[in-house]
Each structure stands twice: as structure tokens, then as C-alpha cells.
């Protein structure tokens, strides 16, 4: 490339705050794709004739793509550059959206969910690192705040948008993904113009594809509390994303798809606002607050089901948003503090694996229990698990703090 061409390329690139905004939009768009199904699960269940267990499996299979991205592709953007990896994540998201658009049975949904998880793992992981290099400040916590808040904002907008389209527009299982693919196209063009921050990108052959994950012996006890906190926080988010619409329809007699999407939007917007409003709280205070809030949160969720009360469910959802935000951010901050500098990426990856498993595994158990017993019994078991996990994490956290 000539010097003139290089200057022209730089002139057409987004830089500074515009570049950071483009990357934040990418993170939000990718996460929006993961919750676009939230208000649609009930419709898919009727259209394809599958059970509650199958519904939870369709939701949970998403974690396969997450783990593949984390274990295999997690370090790739450090070598080949942020922009190529971000564009690869967006391309996978487009393929995922196409599978959703033309889905004819459960197998299509499973493939689309796995690809969605892979796209988010690659794109959001790359985007988080990219933001830290683009944000024009020495305070790198600001980049983390932007990344986590836009994460939740995208989750909320995906559920709300799909719910509104499903309730008030034609072709609910198609139009949602036509709109989503158009949004991905716009964001991809922005990412194409965003400046690269890896000074000397290498080649794909320079990257080891061997999965690598470990935890230093001297921090294992201190790792328990944040890991369990992250697991619990993402369990609450997974419960709402996969099962809240079914609970609304079957036990609270709320069949409006827009209301189902709005309920998850409430959780996500409260979580995003909480992250932005509490940046000065210490990491351990944030984590302990999350653990304490999880117990009344699950109590209110069960009470809303038993009493068939939408008002209680709205309060429970707001409390869930606060505890999920505190748990995710507080746990991650504690892990960053205790991890050795030369092994931080591996330790943080272990934390994210706990979060991904928390997002998926309890949802499967709830689906099985709701089929074998009842939805209320399944929620009671879920509440019991969260209470036990919270108490265990509080104990380990207090011990390590001393």
C-alpha cells in the first residue's frame, strides 16, 4: 500500500470517542442477539411443538459457543488485531441471525444459539480489550464500565425489541431477525472504519489454538467467592432470559409478548444503571452486596409465582437487576485484584467460565423439575440453590478478607 493510500485509509477510519462508541455499539448489538429469543420462546414452543425441557436446552446450548470462543479464540485478537477478530465475530453473528430467520425446527435453533454464543465470545471479548485501548483516559476502569453497561443495555434492547415486534407486527419469528440483521450490517460498517490498536498485527499461524486454562494454587481459596458470585448472578439472568415468559404466561396469566420482553428490559436497564451509578464502590463491598441481595431476590420471585402477582414480579426483577450487576462487576473486579499480573488472562477466563456455566446449567435443571413436578417447585429448588451459594460465597469472602 502506498503512503498516499495509507493516509486515505486513516482519514476514513473512526478514531477517539467515535471509535469507542462504534465498539460499544458492537458489544450491545451482539448481546441483543442473545435475548431476541426471550419473548419468542413461547411462540417457538407452540410452532415447533417442543417441551419445556427442550426450551431450556435451546437456551443453554448457547454456552457451547461461549466456551469455544473463550478457550480457543480468547487470545487471538492480541496477535492478529482487534478489527479482524471483531469483523469475524460480526460475520458469525450474521450467520446465526440467518439460521434464526429461516429456522424450521429445533435443530436450526440449536445451531443458531451455538453460533450466537461463539459470536458474542469472540466479538465481545475483543471489543472489551479494544475499548480499553480506545477510551481517551488513563482510568481503564472506565472502559470496563462502558463494556459491562452496554452488555446489559444490549440484552435489554434485544428482548424489548423482539417482544414489541412479536406482539404488534406481522411474522414474529421472521421480522425480528430481519431487523436484527439490518442492525448488524450497520454496526459492521462502523467496525470496518474503526482504527486498529494492535501496532504490529501478526498472522493467524502465529496463534496457538490449544485450549489453555489454569488457576494458581495460592489464590484458589480467594477465587471461590467471586466465582460463586458470578455463577449466581448469571444464574438469575439466565432464569429471566429463558423462563420468565413461560412463568408470566402460565402462572401470572400474562400472554402479551411485549410485556415479556419489557420485563427482561427492566432487569437489564436497572443493571446498566446500577453499574454506571456505583462505580466508586469497592470491589468486595460490591460483591458482598450482590450476595446479600440474591436471597431476597429469589424469595420475591417465588412469592410472585405463588401469589400470581405481577407487582411482586416487577419488584423482584428490579432487585435482580441490581444483584446481577453487582455480582458480575464485583466478582470480576475481585478476580482482577487477586490474579497475578502474568496470569491474569487465564484467571479471568476461569471466572467467565463460571459465569457462562451459571447462565446455562441451572436453567436446564429448572426445565427438568418443572416438567417432572411444577414450575413453582422448580423455582423453589432454584431459590434454595441461590441461597446456599450466596451463604458459601459470603463465608469464603469474609474469610479471605480477614
Amino acid at each position: 500500500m502506498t503512503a498516499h493510500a495509507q493516509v486515505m485509509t486513516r482519514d476514513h477510519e473512526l478514531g477517539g470517542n467515535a471509535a469507542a462508541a462504534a465498539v460499544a455499539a458492537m458489544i450491545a448489538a451482539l448481546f441483543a442477539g442473545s435475548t431476541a429469543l426471550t419473548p419468542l420462546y413461547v411462540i417457538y414452543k407452540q410452532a415447533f411443538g417442543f417441551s419445556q425441557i427442550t426450551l431450556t436446552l435451546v437456551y443453554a446450548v448457547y454456552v457451547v459457543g461461549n466456551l469455544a470462543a473463550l478457550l480457543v479464540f480468547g487470545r487471538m485478537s492480541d496477535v492478529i488485531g482487534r478489527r479482524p477478530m471483531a469483523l469475524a465475530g460480526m460475520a458469525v453473528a450474521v450467520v446465526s441471525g440467518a439460521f434464526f430467520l429461516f429456522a424450521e425446527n429445533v435443530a436450526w435453533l440449536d445451531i443458531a444459539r451455538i453460533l450466537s454464543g461463539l459470536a458474542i465470545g469472540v466479538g465481545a471479548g475483543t471489543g472489551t480489550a479494544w475499548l480499553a485501548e480506545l477510551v481517551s483516559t488513563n482510568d481503564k476502569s472506565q472502559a470496563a464500565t462502558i463494556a459491562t453497561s452496554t452488555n446489559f443495555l444490549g440484552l435489554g434492547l434485544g428482548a424489548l425489541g423482539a417482544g414489541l415486534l412479536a406482539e404488534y407486527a406481522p411474522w414474529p419469528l421472521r421480522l425480528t431477525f430481519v431487523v436484527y440483521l439490518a442492525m448488524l450490517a450497520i454496526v459492521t460498517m462502523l467496525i470496518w472504519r474503526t482504527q486498529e490498536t494492535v501496532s504490529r498485527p501478526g498472522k493467524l499461524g502465529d496463534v496457538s489454538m490449544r485450549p489453555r486454562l489454569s488457576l494458581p494454587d495460592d489464590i484458589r481459596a480467594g477465587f471461590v467467592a467471586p466465582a460463586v458470585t458470578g455463577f449466581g448472578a448469571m444464574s438469575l439472568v439466565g432464569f429471566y432470559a429463558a423462563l420468565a415468559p413461560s412463568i408470566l404466561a402460565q402462572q401470572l396469566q400474562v400472554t402479551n409478548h411485549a410485556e415479556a420482553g419489557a420485563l427482561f428490559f427492566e432487569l437489564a436497564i436497572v443493571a446498566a444503571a446500577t453499574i454506571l451509578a456505583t462505580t466508586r464502590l469497592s470491589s468486595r463491598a460490591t460483591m458482598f452486596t450482590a450476595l446479600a441481595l440474591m436471597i431476597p431476590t429469589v424469595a420475591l420471585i417465588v412469592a410472585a409465582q405463588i401469589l400470581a402477582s405481577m407487582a411482586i414480579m416487577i419488584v423482584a426483577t428490579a432487585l435482580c437487576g441490581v444483584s446481577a450487576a453487582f455480582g458480575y462487576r464485583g466478582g470480576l473486579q475481585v478476580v482482577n485484584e487477586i490474579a497475578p499480573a502474568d496470569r491474569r488472562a487465564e484467571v479471568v477466563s476461569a471466572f467467565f467460565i463460571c459465569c457462562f456455566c451459571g447462565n446455562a446449567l441451572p436453567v436446564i435443571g429448572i426445565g427438568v423439575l418443572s416438567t417432572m413436578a411444577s414450575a413453582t417447585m422448580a423455582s423453589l429448588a432454584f431459590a434454595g440453590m441461590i441461597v446456599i451459594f450466596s451463604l458459601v460465597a459470603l463465608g469464603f469472602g469474609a474469610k479471605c478478607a480477614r
Side-chain angles (χ1 to χ4, degrees):
M1 183 181 290
T2 66
H4 176 70
Q6 289 176 336
V7 171
M8 290 291 290
T9 300
R10 285 196 297 271
D11 287 343
H12 285 83
E13 285 183 345
L14 297 175
N17 293 334
V23 175
M26 177 189 72
I27 293 172
L30 289 171
F31 277 100
S34 73
T35 51
L37 261 70
T38 294
L40 304 182
Y41 281 122
V42 174
I43 306 176
Y44 277 120
K45 189 176 176 182
Q46 295 170 346
F48 295 164
F50 55 72
S51 67
Q52 188 74 0
I53 295 177
T54 301
L55 185 156
T56 56
L57 289 174
V58 169
Y59 176 83
V61 75
Y62 160 89
V63 78
V64 174
N66 285 152
L67 295 177
L70 187 64
L71 294 173
V72 179
F73 303 108
R75 300 176 299 278
M76 195 172 288
S77 73
D78 292 332
V79 178
I80 70 171
R82 308 297 183 206
R83 184 161 49 190
M85 282 305 295
L87 290 171
M90 295 300 289
V92 175
V94 168
V95 177
S96 169
F99 267 91
F100 281 128
L101 178 60
F102 299 109
E104 296 180 355
N105 52 46
V106 174
W108 286 66
L109 295 181
D110 285 335
I111 294 171
R113 285 289 289 169
I114 292 171
L115 290 174
S116 177
L118 180 61
I120 287 173
V122 171
T126 299
T128 301
W130 207 354
L131 275 175
E133 296 156 353
L134 287 170
V135 172
S136 55
T137 174
N138 292 326
D139 182 11
K140 296 307 179 186
S141 66
Q142 182 178 340
T145 299
I146 294 171
T148 51
S149 58
T150 52
N151 172 335
F152 279 107
L153 183 62
L155 290 172
L157 290 174
L160 180 63
L164 290 170
L165 290 173
E167 186 65 30
Y168 302 114
W171 316 299
L173 300 182
R174 310 293 182 192
L175 186 59
T176 295
F177 298 104
V178 171
V179 173
Y180 180 60
L181 287 169
M183 179 178 65
L184 289 178
I186 294 170
V187 174
T188 300
M189 286 189 287
L190 292 175
I191 291 299
W192 182 269
R193 296 182 57 199
T194 301
Q195 68 183 54
E196 178 59 69
T197 53
V198 175
S199 56
R200 294 182 178 179
K203 298 178 181 179
L204 190 60
D206 299 332
V207 184
S208 171
M209 303 294 285
R210 186 182 67 180
R212 187 177 69 192
L213 187 70
S214 63
L215 202 62
D217 293 339
D218 57 342
I219 69 162
R220 288 184 178 177
F223 182 79
V224 172
V228 173
T229 304
F231 185 98
M234 291 300 104
S235 294
L236 290 171
V237 173
F239 177 88
Y240 269 87
L243 300 169
S246 297
I247 291 171
L248 291 182
Q250 296 169 12
Q251 295 175 275
L252 276 67
Q253 307 305 311
V254 176
T255 57
N256 186 299
H257 302 303
E259 289 187 42
L263 189 72
F264 190 85
F265 178 76
E266 178 200 351
L267 184 157
I269 206 69
V270 167
T274 300
I275 289 171
L276 293 174
T278 60
T279 53
R280 295 188 178 182
L281 278 181
S282 72
S283 57
R284 290 197 180 274
T286 303
M287 183 179 73
F288 289 148
T289 302
L291 293 168
L293 288 176
M294 286 179 193
I295 297 173
T297 297
V298 291
L300 285 172
I301 291 172
V302 173
Q305 291 180 247
I306 293 174
L307 300 174
S309 170
M310 189 64 183
I312 296 177
M313 182 61 83
I314 289 171
V315 175
T317 304
L319 198 57
C320 180
V322 176
S323 58
F326 278 168
Y328 180 67
R329 196 193 73 199
L332 180 57
Q333 286 177 332
V334 171
V335 165
N336 271 322
E337 290 168 5
I338 67 174
D342 60 337
R343 301 183 65 182
R344 182 167 286 116
E346 292 175 81
V347 176
V348 170
S349 294
F351 172 78
F352 282 136
I353 285 177
C354 294
C355 291
F356 291 151
C357 291
N359 191 243
L361 298 181
V363 167
I364 298 174
I366 295 168
V368 172
L369 276 175
S370 12
T371 302
M372 296 175 61
S374 68
T376 303
M377 188 61 66
S379 294
L380 279 168
F382 175 70
M385 180 201 75
I386 292 293
V387 170
I388 292 170
F389 275 34
S390 298
L391 294 175
V392 168
L394 281 168
F396 269 93
K399 181 180 178 181
C400 290
R402 288 196 299 269

